[in-house]
Amino acid sequence: MSDVSLPAPSGPRTAAVIPAAGRGVRLGPGAPKALRALNGTPLLIHAARAMAASRAVSLVVVVAPPDGAAEVKSLLDVHALPDRTDFLVVPGGESRQESVKYGLDALPPGIDIVLVHDAARPLVPVDTVDAVIEAVRDGAPAVVPALPLADTVKEVEPAAVAGEPEPVVATPVRARLRAVQTPQGFDRATLVRAHETVGDDVTDDASMVERLGLQVVVVPGHEEAFKVTRPLDLVLAEAVLARRRLNDGF
């Protein structure tokens, strides 16, 4: 993995939107998931640093819990973040889709490329961020990093009662499937149009662009860009950080 990022762009400017308004119930009670500590630092700060690590990213917009914008701004103020990157905190909405829309609304003129990144993916390497940006610069309206699946996947008929056996409906061809990560990258105008016209609840922003009938392309993701959802994921993330410290010599 290289630590060399793209040079600061002379053409299209890029901003990253990090929706961080969710509660993260699968990590248990307590603080919102984005504010849970990883190696003593909130996941959100790790994610913001990961976006700012790309020299192409000039602005990071953090979409905070509606009642927690002041707390999030304080966190950004007290943690070391790159001086070359501007940071902005805005209150979020009731859904992830609404929160991303609020982040988009806060972008200034002159931003042409928008990244949308999960606060719960704190360890995405800068090479992955740069690869997404490059693909958008090359003309793709929407880009997602993704990995091939290691497991066979079954489509099932969901059980009426949780825990009951579920009949298998089909076995998709694994070679055609990918596990999608973030940051997802977009031509700004395309993403704005998607949020203005697609009202259905979707699991990611690329799905909204698909609903417009536009092409979404995949670039290689990275195994360290996993989502911290369960307590075991925090253990894995700590191990990744420990390995990075060992490899970096500090």
Side-chain angles (χ1 to χ4, degrees):
M1 180 182 69
S2 170
D3 289 329
V4 178
S5 176
L6 291 172
S10 57
R13 293 182 63 213
T14 300
V17 174
I18 304 179
R23 301 301 304 180
V25 293
R26 280 177 289 182
L27 276 179
K33 178 165 58 177
L35 304 185
R36 301 295 179 89
L38 169 60
N39 196 37
T41 300
L43 292 174
L44 173 60
I45 299 300
H46 288 285
R49 286 173 175 165
M51 295 300 97
S54 171
R55 297 189 64 84
V57 174
S58 58
L59 171 66
V60 175
V61 178
V62 177
V63 188
D67 58 351
E71 179 184 2
V72 168
K73 187 176 187 312
S74 295
L75 279 176
L76 292 176
D77 288 341
V78 301
H79 286 86
L81 296 167
D83 291 336
R84 68 171 182 268
T85 308
D86 292 327
F87 291 86
L88 178 65
V89 179
V90 298
E94 293 299 317
S95 67
R96 183 185 187 281
Q97 190 171 343
E98 190 176 19
S99 292
V100 173
K101 175 66 163 55
Y102 290 164
L104 283 173
D105 290 344
L107 295 178
I111 297 294
D112 302 291
I113 297 173
V114 180
L115 305 178
V116 180
H117 184 57
D118 295 330
R121 296 184 190 270
L123 302 177
V124 56
V126 67
D127 288 354
T128 302
V129 180
D130 286 342
V132 171
I133 295 169
E134 276 292 290
V136 180
R137 284 184 185 171
D138 288 344
V143 180
V144 298
L147 293 175
L149 297 184
D151 299 317
T152 296
V153 174
K154 300 289 184 183
E155 181 183 354
V156 302
E157 185 66 39
V161 179
E164 290 292 314
E166 298 175 321
V168 171
V169 174
T171 303
V173 178
R174 190 173 65 183
R176 296 177 61 87
L177 301 177
R178 297 291 183 270
V180 174
Q181 302 175 325
T182 68
Q184 298 185 357
F186 304 89
D187 167 73
R188 178 182 181 174
T190 297
L191 186 57
V192 168
R193 181 158 67 94
H195 275 269
E196 289 175 344
T197 58
V198 178
D200 298 337
D201 189 27
V202 294
T203 57
D204 72 349
D205 295 271
S207 298
M208 301 177 71
V209 174
E210 290 177 53
R211 300 282 180 89
L212 297 179
L214 299 177
Q215 180 73 66
V216 177
V217 302
V218 170
V219 297
H222 196 281
E223 61 183 6
E224 293 181 2
F226 60 90
K227 192 172 187 178
V228 175
T229 303
R230 300 157 298 182
L232 184 59
D233 298 326
L234 278 172
V235 176
L236 178 57
E238 293 278 5
V240 171
L241 281 177
R243 186 181 66 182
R244 287 184 179 181
R245 288 196 300 270
L246 182 64
N247 290 342
D248 292 343
F250 65 88

